[in-house]
Amino acid sequence: MLLHTFNTPEAFIQHRQRINIEDKVLFIEDGVYSSNQPLDFQCKRVMALAEDCQLRGIVPAESVQLIDYNDWVQLCSEVDNHLSWY
């Protein structure tokens, strides 16, 4: 299982086809702009960093779970690998 971290909408558009159904997705920084649109892929869990959403005035889609930095650290310890897309 992989954790895909996207920090820009462009990175998400370019690399979203690499997401497998067993993977997890986290939107951070400007990547949270992708979290408020309908998501056209399936994976185990989709999250957005709450602080980044709040700073940008973004309300994620209902299917996106908001997490904090502590949750992110925990998440990294649960996955086999972590890919950051910039």
Side-chain angles (χ1 to χ4, degrees):
M1 172 185 359
L2 294 175
L3 171 62
H4 298 269
T5 303
F6 295 98
N7 82 328
T8 65
E10 295 80 15
F12 176 64
I13 291 167
Q14 185 175 3
H15 299 289
R16 68 179 172 206
Q17 75 278 4
R18 300 174 189 265
I19 301 167
N20 293 317
I21 194 141
E22 290 298 318
D23 294 343
K24 297 179 181 183
V25 170
L26 174 61
F27 296 109
I28 62 170
E29 300 170 356
D30 284 344
V32 299
Y33 288 110
S34 297
S35 71
N36 68 347
Q37 302 170 11
L39 302 174
D40 62 349
F41 65 93
Q42 291 184 347
C43 69
K44 194 167 199 164
R45 188 171 167 201
V46 181
M47 298 149 287
L49 198 57
E51 184 175 320
D52 290 343
C53 287
Q54 183 180 16
L55 288 171
R56 290 161 178 82
I58 298 296
V59 177
E62 191 174 303
S63 61
V64 178
Q65 178 186 1
L66 291 175
I67 66 169
D68 62 20
Y69 285 102
N70 290 330
D71 296 327
W72 188 4
V73 171
Q74 178 64 35
L75 184 62
C76 288
S77 70
E78 295 171 358
V79 296
D80 298 325
N81 289 303
H82 180 189
L83 294 172
S84 296
W85 302 103
Y86 296 93

